[in-house]
Amino acid sequence: MPKNKGRNAFYFFMLAWKKRAEARGCTFPNGLKDVQADPECNIEWQELSKQHKGPYEAMAKKDKVASQIRADNKKTSLGESIQQLEEQEMAEQKFIANMHEYLESTITRSVNHNVLPQLKFCFIHVNWFFTKIVDNVIEYFPAEYAVGVFSLENGIEDVYHVVVGAPIPLGYKREAMETSQSTHNIPTEYESGETDFAIMYEKLINFLEPRKIVDKYPPLYTTRPLKGAVQSLLTKLCDTAKQDEEQFLIYEVESLFKHLADEAYKKRTDREIKYTAAYAEYVFTRLKYIYKRGNECTFHKFTDGGSEYCSKSILYQWTWKMCEEFCEPLQINMRPGVHFPEETDCNYKIMMQSMANLDIKREILQNSELCSVVSATGVSEQHRIKVSERTYEEEIRRRKESKPVLVIDHSKLKNKSGTAVSNEHVDKVIIKHADTAVNKLTNESKEKCTTNYVGRFLFEKPMQLPSTSYAAATIDDYIPKNDEQSFPPIGGRGLLCKKNKDGSRRPMGRGQGYA
C-alpha cells in the first residue's frame, strides 16, 4: 500500500480557485480533474508570487503532519493500533533474546564453578476459574497458584501454595463452576481461601525475598501455555498492592530445559542436542506421569477429584521430568520422593496419559455429567444422586414400620359350608374393614368423612371436575347452527341465497341466485 505523503500547495490552490470559478457560473463535472486541466488555473498559479503562495504552502505542511499522525494511528480490524502491536512484537523478541542470554550465561557460569546441581530455579503454576477479554487481552481470575524452589540435587526444596477464595464477579459464576468441575474442583468463593490480593502479594514477596539475586527477584519459570495466566495473576497482585509488575520476570520452563539439555546431553548418546527445543515442548505439554496421590496440596488431599490438576502436584511433575533427563548425566544420585515418585510399585517414567486415582463409579458419574449443565445453585447431578440414596439405618427403619402386603386368592377362599366365596362377599368384608378404620379416626376426621364423600375403600376420593371454565358447557354450544344466518354463504361473494315470496329457493345458476 503506497504511503500517504500529504497534499501539496497546488492542491489547496485548486480548491480555492474552483470555489471562485463556481461562483462565476462555471461547472466542473469531473471535480478537480477538470480544474487541473483548465489552462486559466495553471496560468494564475504560475503568476502568483512567493508571498501569495505562502498560505497554500502552510496548508500543505500542516496536512503533511496530519497525514503522518493518521498513518501512525492505523488500527487492525479488532481496533488494535498497528504501531503499538509492532512495538510489542519488538519488545517480546528483545525479551526472549535476553532470556536466552541470561540462561546461557547462568548455566555456563555454574558449570565452570561446578555448582550446576545446586543451582536453584523458581517454578510457578496457576489454575483459574474463568477468563475475560479486556482491551484485547485475556485476563484470568485465579483459583489457586503455587511457587516452588527447585534444584537438581534436592528437587523441590520449598513450596508456597495459595487457594483463592475471592468473590466471583457478577456474570461469571456459571463459567467458574463449569471450569472448576471439569478441572481442579475448587469451589467458588472457598471459605478457607485467601480473599485479599494485597495480602497475597505481601506473602509472595516474603517467600521470594531470600532468593533475591543482586537485589532482584529471581525469574519465575512456567510453560508457554501458562504465561498469560501467570502474567495476569502477577498483574492483579501488583495492581491491588499498587506495585510495579515489571519487578517480576516470567521465563519459559521449556527454554530452561533446552539450555540444561545443551550441557547434560553431551554425556548422553540417546539424545541429540539439535532436537532439544522440540523435545522440551513435547515433554511439558503432552507427557504426564502415572503416580499415586501424596504430593498434592492440603485441599486436594482430602477432596475427591482434581488432584491431577493441583498446582503443587504439577510442580512436582515438572521437577521429576527435569531430574529424569539430567540427574544421571550430571552424576546426581536419584532418591525416591525427591527425584521421582516415592511409591515403589509405580513407574516413574513419563507416560502418555494420567490414570491417577481411577475410580470406576466416580468416573462413570462424571462422564455422564459432561453433557449436562451445572445448575445455578452449584448442585451437580452426582450430588443429587448421592443425597437421594437411603442409608442403611433408614432402610432398616422402613422395613420395621412397613406391614406385609395382604394377598387375597379368591380361588382358595371358602365359607363354612365349603363353597367358594363370591366376589361380592369379599367386597363386603373389605368395606367392613374400611368402616372400622374410619371409626378409629379422631372426631375431626369423622366429621370430615361423614360430611364428604366416602368411597368404597379407605380414603377413596371422589372424581373432581376439571379445572376449566367450560366444564358446564354442552356440545350444542360449540356446533354452529345450520340456518340461513349462521350457515356459510355460497357462491363466493359473501351473500346468502335469497328465497322467493312463496318460500321456495331460487335456482342456483350464476346471475339468478343473486339480486
Side-chain angles (χ1 to χ4, degrees):
M1 185 175 181
K3 192 172 183 180
N4 186 6
K5 297 182 180 181
R7 292 164 288 192
N8 54 18
F10 181 63
Y11 172 83
F12 293 97
F13 171 77
M14 286 193 298
L15 292 178
W17 190 88
K18 177 174 177 291
K19 188 176 181 180
R20 295 196 303 268
E22 289 177 344
R24 297 195 303 267
C26 300
T27 58
F28 305 96
N30 296 325
L32 292 180
K33 289 184 179 180
D34 293 343
V35 176
Q36 187 177 6
D38 195 314
E40 295 182 4
C41 178
N42 290 275
I43 293 173
E44 186 175 346
W45 169 255
Q46 293 174 2
E47 292 179 351
L48 284 178
S49 63
K50 187 175 182 180
Q51 183 179 1
H52 288 86
K53 289 183 179 180
Y56 302 110
E57 291 177 353
M59 293 180 186
K61 186 176 181 179
K62 185 177 180 180
D63 183 71
K64 183 178 180 181
V65 175
S67 65
Q68 292 176 353
I69 295 175
R70 288 194 299 269
D72 293 340
N73 290 334
K74 288 183 178 179
K75 299 182 182 299
T76 63
S77 58
L78 298 177
E80 300 171 315
S81 174
I82 295 179
Q83 182 181 5
Q84 186 177 1
L85 291 177
E86 292 176 351
E87 293 176 356
Q88 291 178 357
E89 185 178 358
M90 293 178 61
E92 182 67 21
Q93 293 177 356
K94 184 178 179 180
F95 179 82
I96 293 175
N98 293 337
M99 176 185 66
H100 288 287
E101 183 180 355
Y102 170 82
L103 289 173
E104 184 177 0
S105 61
T106 302
I107 294 176
T108 303
R109 189 167 54 252
S110 301
V111 171
N112 295 336
H113 292 82
N114 198 20
V115 293
L116 182 58
Q118 294 81 27
L119 189 62
K120 292 179 175 57
F121 306 95
C122 291
F123 291 167
I124 183 171
H125 181 273
V126 178
N127 278 320
W128 60 87
F129 280 120
F130 66 89
T131 61
K132 62 179 180 178
I133 300 178
V134 179
D135 296 332
N136 294 327
V137 177
I138 301 177
E139 289 188 2
Y140 298 78
F141 193 89
E144 69 165 340
Y145 60 92
V147 182
V149 180
F150 158 74
S151 67
L152 290 173
E153 184 179 35
N154 299 319
I156 291 289
E157 299 180 0
D158 194 6
V159 175
Y160 167 64
H161 178 266
V162 175
V163 177
V164 180
I168 303 297
L170 183 65
Y172 295 94
K173 187 68 174 291
R174 178 177 295 277
E175 182 181 353
M177 290 190 298
E178 292 178 352
T179 303
S180 173
Q181 183 181 6
S182 61
T183 54
H184 45 72
N185 277 353
I186 298 176
T188 57
E189 302 180 10
Y190 181 53
E191 295 181 355
S192 301
E194 294 282 353
T195 57
D196 193 341
F197 288 102
I199 297 177
M200 291 185 234
Y201 171 82
E202 293 295 335
K203 292 183 178 180
L204 177 61
I205 291 300
N206 294 334
F207 179 80
L208 296 176
E209 191 72 27
R211 283 89 185 178
K212 272 189 173 183
I213 303 174
V214 193
D215 295 333
K216 290 185 178 181
Y217 294 110
L220 302 177
Y221 294 89
T222 189
T223 57
R224 289 195 186 104
L226 290 175
K227 286 184 65 177
V230 173
Q231 183 64 59
S232 179
L233 169 68
L234 297 178
T235 301
K236 196 172 190 64
L237 296 180
C238 294
D239 290 346
T240 306
K242 298 181 180 180
Q243 299 294 330
D244 186 12
E245 62 179 301
E246 294 183 358
Q247 59 186 323
F248 298 109
L249 296 177
I250 305 173
Y251 284 174
E252 299 170 356
V253 70
E254 293 90 346
S255 299
L256 173 62
F257 186 95
K258 176 187 178 302
H259 286 277
L260 287 174
D262 291 342
E263 179 62 31
Y265 285 175
K266 294 178 181 179
K267 300 180 181 180
R268 291 191 65 166
T269 59
D270 58 340
R271 298 285 191 270
E272 294 188 24
I273 296 179
K274 63 180 180 180
Y275 298 128
T276 54
Y279 183 61
E281 187 79 19
Y282 181 80
V283 165
F284 287 99
T285 56
R286 301 189 61 183
L287 301 185
K288 293 184 179 180
Y289 273 85
I290 296 178
Y291 70 100
K292 292 186 178 180
R293 298 179 64 172
N295 295 288
E296 55 277 326
C297 65
T298 305
F299 171 80
H300 287 103
K301 186 176 295 185
F302 300 100
T303 305
D304 293 335
S307 58
E308 62 270 22
Y309 296 95
C310 175
S311 294
K312 182 180 177 182
S313 176
I314 291 177
L315 292 186
Y316 277 94
Q317 293 187 46
W318 291 354
T319 60
W320 293 337
K321 294 173 184 179
M322 290 280 193
C323 294
E324 180 187 349
E325 291 290 330
F326 308 129
C327 284
E328 183 178 352
L330 295 177
Q331 299 178 356
I332 299 174
N333 185 23
M334 298 183 66
R335 293 168 290 169
V338 176
H339 301 95
F340 57 89
E342 190 173 2
E343 291 80 0
T344 57
D345 59 342
C346 72
N347 181 12
Y348 68 89
K349 300 294 182 181
I350 51 180
M351 296 296 176
M352 294 297 296
Q353 57 184 356
S354 175
M355 298 180 65
N357 308 320
L358 182 61
D359 188 338
I360 300 299
K361 182 178 179 181
R362 190 178 77 243
E363 291 296 330
I364 292 176
L365 291 175
Q366 289 179 354
N367 292 335
S368 63
E369 293 176 0
L370 293 178
C371 298
S372 62
V373 179
V374 182
S375 65
T377 59
V379 180
S380 62
E381 188 67 21
Q382 181 180 0
H383 178 73
R384 291 193 186 96
I385 295 174
K386 183 178 180 180
V387 299
S388 62
E389 294 177 351
R390 296 192 190 116
T391 62
Y392 177 77
E393 291 78 6
E394 292 177 349
E395 186 64 26
I396 295 300
R397 179 184 59 79
R398 288 172 59 86
R399 292 182 182 182
K400 288 182 179 180
E401 293 179 357
S402 62
K403 296 180 179 179
V405 180
L406 177 63
V407 180
I408 301 176
D409 190 352
H410 289 222
S411 62
K412 294 181 180 181
L413 291 178
K414 296 182 179 180
N415 55 16
K416 296 180 179 180
S417 61
T419 59
V421 179
S422 62
N423 293 336
E424 296 179 357
H425 179 72
V426 175
D427 293 341
K428 290 180 180 179
V429 174
I430 295 175
I431 294 173
K432 182 178 179 181
H433 285 291
D435 294 338
T436 304
V438 171
N439 292 331
K440 292 181 181 179
L441 298 175
T442 60
N443 294 332
E444 182 180 356
S445 300
K446 285 183 180 180
E447 293 177 0
K448 187 175 181 179
C449 292
T450 54
T451 55
N452 297 339
Y453 170 84
V454 179
R456 292 181 58 196
F457 303 103
L458 184 62
F459 306 133
E460 181 182 350
K461 294 182 180 180
M463 294 290 290
Q464 297 181 358
L465 292 175
S467 57
T468 174
S469 58
Y470 301 102
T474 61
I475 192 171
D476 294 337
D477 296 335
Y478 300 98
I479 298 178
K481 296 179 176 57
N482 296 333
D483 54 11
E484 293 180 357
Q485 300 299 327
S486 60
F487 197 82
I490 300 175
R493 299 198 180 194
L495 298 175
L496 295 173
C497 296
K498 293 187 177 182
K499 295 182 179 180
N500 297 325
K501 294 181 179 181
D502 56 356
S504 62
R505 290 182 177 274
R506 295 182 181 180
M508 297 296 294
R510 190 171 182 82
Q512 297 183 6
Y514 300 91

